[in-house]
Amino acid sequence: MVDGSNHRPAAVLVPLVLGRDDPAILLTRRTDHLHHHPGQISFPGGRVEAQDSTPVDTALRETEEEIGLDRRHVELLGALPDYYTGTGFRVTPVVGLVHPPFELHLDAFEVAEAFEVPLKHFLDPANHQRHSLMHEGRERQFHAMPYKDYFIWGATAGILMSLYRLLREPER
């Protein structure tokens, strides 16, 4: 169990896009010039701000700011367990169904691109990897789920593993 008392609160939207042949997860690639996590694959989201009354408010606000996805296209399903990052954030992943048609308007400062990955890719254990690296004298392990030319890892892959466990766990 992680003591999250020192972690800063944040929230992301886990957008599950419906209305096509197969459901897909909508992801973003951060721009290369950003100070934090440049070029990484992520969910739309960010830190909780004073005007946000709930993690859902944060996730929807940040999604509108980053990719221009209007909240009226999102049907909220609930939240996955909080994810604690090595960089000091407690991230609440808010899952929502996204109903097309919709248009995206990317914030060019923060988001280089938005793209979809079929949900079935993340539900296939053959696409799950474990990696490790040395950081500040400690070995850190992390999940990765590469897709085409995208290396999906870290918090994004960890949250996708939570979704995988939720969807794949047998009924009790």
Side-chain angles (χ1 to χ4, degrees), residues 26-29 42 66-67 104 106 111-116 150:
L26 178 63
L27 295 167
T28 67
R29 185 173 60 80
S42 64
E66 290 180 12
I67 63 173
L104 300 180
L106 306 184
V111 180
E113 68 177 302
F115 62 97
E116 294 179 16
Y150 300 105

Side-chain angles (χ1 to χ4, degrees), residues 69-84:
L69 178 63
D70 191 293
R71 63 184 68 211
R72 67 186 160 89
H73 292 288
V74 180
E75 178 185 343
L76 297 171
L77 295 181
L80 296 169
D82 285 350
Y83 185 88
Y84 295 85

Side-chain angles (χ1 to χ4, degrees), residues 16-152:
L16 183 57
V17 180
L18 300 178
R20 295 174 174 73
D21 292 339
D22 291 317
I25 300 287
L26 178 63
L27 295 167
T28 67
R29 185 173 60 80
R30 294 170 56 83
T31 54
D32 291 329
H33 66 84
L34 292 175
H35 181 67
H36 297 289
H37 314 292
Q40 289 186 9
I41 306 305
S42 64
F43 294 108
R47 29 181 116 186
V48 173
E49 294 183 3
Q51 75 267 23
D52 299 329
S53 59
T54 67
V56 169
D57 289 339
T58 301
L60 293 175
R61 176 186 52 75
E62 286 280 347
T63 297
E64 288 176 333
E65 291 174 5
E66 290 180 12
I67 63 173
L69 178 63
D70 191 293
R71 63 184 68 211
R72 67 186 160 89
H73 292 288
V74 180
E75 178 185 343
L76 297 171
L77 295 181
L80 296 169
D82 285 350
Y83 185 88
Y84 295 85
T85 71
T87 55
F89 286 94
R90 183 188 76 241
V91 181
T92 301
V94 177
V95 181
L97 300 177
V98 180
H99 299 280
F102 58 86
E103 285 187 42
L104 300 180
H105 302 282
L106 306 184
D107 175 345
F109 182 79
E110 286 191 54
V111 180
E113 68 177 302
F115 62 97
E116 294 179 16
V117 178
L119 177 62
K120 64 184 175 187
H121 174 79
F122 299 120
L123 298 181
D124 183 349
N127 297 319
H128 301 177
Q129 299 177 358
R130 291 286 287 170
H131 293 265
S132 64
L133 59 80
M134 291 299 290
H135 180 71
E136 297 177 352
R138 274 186 42 207
E139 182 180 39
R140 292 188 181 231
Q141 301 229 345
F142 60 92
H143 293 282
M145 298 178 177
Y147 177 74
K148 295 186 178 179
D149 292 333
Y150 300 105
F151 190 67
I152 302 164

